[in-house]
Amino acid sequence: NAGVTQTPKFQVLKTGQSMTLQCAQDMNHNSMYWYRQDPGMGLRLIYYSASEGTTDKGEVPNGYNVSRLNKREFSLRLESAAPSQTSVYFCASGRVGSNYGYTFGSGTRLTVV
Amino acid sequence: GNSVTQMEGPVTLSEEAFLTINCTYTATGYPSLFWYVQYPGEGLQLLLKATKADDKGSNKGFEATYRKETTSFHLEKGSVQVSDSAVYFCALSLTAGGTSYGKLTFGQGTILTVHP
């Protein structure tokens, strides 16, 4: 089925470990986004990529890096995980243009101990 | 800056009750407005949208009207079902510097539980 695929679905890390969250979309969307969801805080934008080859910081970029590998794939990397990064991470993609909504992946639940 | 404020939850209703979830926004410009729904264990799904003042978005019995004068986009449903139990997010999107990146700003979410 067409959509946004995230891997892994669950992950437990120890403080200081690194990992990469993968995201791929097959809808030929230009824009891709990484959000984190925390209780009572809604979704907060970490990084986004308006098009292949470009990335920009969102509201909460500290402690994260991203790579727009090609038009389909947009990965999020935690270089040195901290307990404050325990969250649910969502990748989304959309067409360029504010009139369109996003398509979201099913999320990655990350726990840092 | 841009922001979205939703009514505090959680909201608990009986089946067939009337639902209102309030949403107000602050934006520099003329945003597009959205409601997303998140069912347990899933990602967010677009429920409805409105792109200009006085537009009404509707889907699955839910409605919301873009009210520029009150900067609001309240979600309503006349008769809720148990299957409507989910988290509902209000969001806005603005163009940026002439290039529409479509970045969404979300409210904090409202948990809705519907009992039989």
Side-chain angles (χ1 to χ4, degrees):
Chain A
N1 291 337
V4 178
T5 303
Q6 287 184 238
T7 56
K9 293 189 181 300
F10 302 94
Q11 183 72 48
V12 178
L13 290 179
K14 295 181 179 179
T15 298
Q17 287 185 316
S18 62
M19 79 162 295
T20 300
L21 280 65
Q22 307 288 350
C23 175
Q25 54 93 7
D26 58 6
M27 294 169 289
N28 202 35
H29 287 165
N30 287 319
S31 302
M32 298 186 73
Y33 310 84
W34 276 105
Y35 283 86
R36 60 178 289 173
Q37 182 181 24
D38 300 293
M41 302 190 73
L43 277 77
R44 293 181 290 169
L45 182 64
I46 304 171
Y47 270 92
Y48 67 100
S49 171
S51 61
E52 184 178 355
T54 68
T55 61
D56 285 286
K57 295 178 180 179
E59 182 184 355
V60 288
N62 291 344
Y64 304 95
N65 285 299
V66 291
S67 295
R68 184 73 183 267
L69 305 171
N70 47 55
K71 191 171 186 178
R72 291 186 62 248
E73 299 173 286
F74 188 40
S75 62
L76 178 71
R77 182 160 179 84
L78 287 71
E79 291 291 352
S80 178
S84 61
Q85 294 178 305
T86 293
S87 187
V88 181
Y89 291 84
F90 287 100
C91 178
S93 70
R95 302 174 195 174
V96 174
S98 62
N99 292 342
Y100 298 99
Y102 296 172
T103 300
F104 279 83
S106 57
T108 296
R109 184 173 294 276
L110 175 67
T111 302
V112 182
V113 298
Chain B
N2 305 318
S3 65
V4 176
T5 302
Q6 290 180 232
M7 66 183 292
E8 293 188 11
V11 175
T12 303
L13 295 173
S14 297
E15 204 163 28
E16 300 183 3
F18 185 86
L19 168 70
T20 300
I21 301 178
N22 290 338
C23 171
T24 57
Y25 67 89
T26 302
T28 54
Y30 301 98
S32 294
L33 300 173
F34 305 84
W35 277 99
Y36 280 82
V37 58
Q38 183 181 31
Y39 298 104
E42 298 183 11
L44 279 71
Q45 303 174 25
L46 178 63
L47 181 59
L48 54 83
K49 67 179 181 182
T51 59
K52 61 183 186 297
D54 300 325
D55 269 2
K56 177 184 285 187
S58 61
N59 187 26
K60 299 181 181 180
F62 291 89
E63 294 183 338
T65 301
Y66 189 142
R67 300 290 188 197
K68 182 181 175 183
E69 64 275 12
T70 55
T71 62
S72 65
F73 193 54
H74 305 321
L75 182 69
E76 297 182 336
K77 187 175 185 182
S79 176
V80 294
Q81 305 300 312
V82 172
S83 58
D84 293 328
S85 298
V87 183
Y88 292 82
F89 291 92
C90 185
L92 68 81
S93 177
L94 284 167
T95 59
T99 301
S100 300
Y101 296 133
K103 291 184 291 179
L104 283 172
T105 299
F106 287 88
Q108 71 270 37
T110 301
I111 299 172
L112 171 66
T113 302
V114 181
H115 293 297

